[in-house]
Amino acid sequence: MSKTLLITGGASGIGAATARLAATRGYQVAINYRSRDAQAKKVVADIIAKGGKAMALPADMAREADIVRMFQETEKALGPVTHLVNSAGFSQRTRVDEYDAALLEKFFAVNVIGLMLCCREAARRMSTKHGGKGGAIVNVSSMASTIGGRIGSSAYAATKGAVDSFTKGFAREVAPEGIRVNSLRPGMVMSEMTEGRLKDAAFRTSIEASIPMRRVGEVHEMAGAILYLLSDEASFITGAMLDAAGGGYII
């Protein structure tokens, strides 16, 4: 059976690294993006140049209609979705006393509700209850969920805590129906989301001093962990949280 992997937020960072690695392991890859059109098409071109099969498709994770269309277009072009990685996310540092409702709604619309709707669409296709043949899902969470995030990241951490809790519950629901669902919790990783701050030498030094391995992670390391959780090597693992964070935090 062909393996079709849909990756949300696949144009950059962990999502793009996962797309490239998955293609080398025989997956057909659908790369979702919201605004990074050129980057998404570059990832697709790189995969095709190496003999793989990939496509890019825009969709906003805050819009239910976009999510439904994304699954439909993936199926039309590549066949049934057998694997899903929810990597799309929104992050903005803000103190609690600076919150406004619109910002919080955006956090949860993208990081939680959009992810849950993607899982809904995947379950409707993968579950043996609905005539599917099973599948595997990885939700990209964060180590922020374990301690409430670094200072200024409490809203982001709250969404990732929701992702972890949902992952556990969803995994139990669909385990008898052939679907495995796990969460990857990266620590600080060098990516488009973090590179601006990590270019500050003092900030990077302080961050690395807080990590037991004394360094930030790389996107290829996260991709490897995701591909393991998607693979048959992890066939008895579901409802798990895998911390990929260099040992977590030194507090």
Side-chain angles (χ1 to χ4, degrees):
M1 183 178 72
S2 63
K3 300 182 294 184
T4 297
L5 169 61
L6 171 58
I7 304 176
T8 70
S12 63
I14 293 171
T18 300
R20 288 188 167 97
L21 182 59
T24 69
R25 300 188 182 180
Y27 290 84
Q28 303 179 111
V29 187
I31 297 164
N32 155 256
Y33 66 96
R34 184 180 66 84
S35 59
R36 292 186 167 98
D37 182 79
Q39 286 176 266
K41 290 177 179 176
K42 176 64 164 59
V43 176
V44 169
D46 290 346
I47 290 172
I48 292 174
K50 294 181 179 179
K53 189 170 185 179
M55 64 178 293
L57 62 165
D60 186 340
M61 291 302 101
R63 296 177 179 272
E64 182 177 10
D66 279 17
I67 290 169
V68 172
R69 175 180 51 77
M70 175 180 69
F71 274 82
Q72 292 172 340
E73 291 183 359
T74 298
E75 285 183 311
K76 184 177 180 180
L78 302 178
V81 175
T82 59
H83 298 75
L84 169 67
V85 173
N86 284 306
S87 184
F90 170 72
S91 178
Q92 180 177 315
R93 291 172 62 81
T94 183
R95 285 172 49 93
V96 174
D97 52 8
E98 297 171 346
Y99 282 173
D100 64 65
L103 177 62
L104 294 178
E105 287 171 2
K106 183 174 181 179
F107 264 115
F108 280 86
V110 175
N111 293 0
V112 183
I113 297 174
L115 178 147
M116 293 172 75
L117 290 175
C118 285
C119 287
R120 179 196 72 187
E121 293 301 306
R124 288 176 174 177
R125 291 161 170 80
M126 297 177 183
S127 170
T128 55
K129 177 181 176 181
H130 296 291
K133 297 181 179 180
I137 299 170
V138 174
N139 293 325
V140 179
S141 177
S142 170
M143 284 297 289
S145 71
T146 66
I147 66 165
R150 298 181 186 274
I151 300 302
S153 297
S154 55
Y156 176 78
T159 65
K160 295 305 185 178
V163 167
D164 286 348
S165 183
F166 167 71
T167 297
K168 287 180 178 291
F170 179 39
R172 287 197 297 272
E173 284 185 11
V174 295
E177 299 164 18
I179 305 174
R180 295 186 302 102
V181 190
N182 293 292
S183 172
L184 181 76
R185 298 197 291 209
M188 183 65 77
V189 174
M190 177 61 80
S191 69
E192 286 87 341
M193 182 182 292
T194 61
E195 63 182 354
R197 298 175 66 211
L198 288 172
K199 286 179 181 177
D200 181 321
F203 176 77
R204 180 160 183 162
T205 296
S206 70
I207 290 295
E208 291 182 334
S210 75
I211 301 170
M213 289 182 70
R214 295 296 196 272
R215 68 174 179 86
V216 298
E218 300 291 340
V219 291
H220 71 86
E221 295 174 305
M222 303 304 111
I226 290 170
L227 264 294
Y228 165 70
L229 290 173
L230 291 178
S231 75
D232 290 341
E233 293 179 341
S235 58
F236 198 54
I237 300 174
T238 196
M241 313 289 116
L242 176 58
D243 297 343
Y249 299 94
I250 297 172
I251 299 176

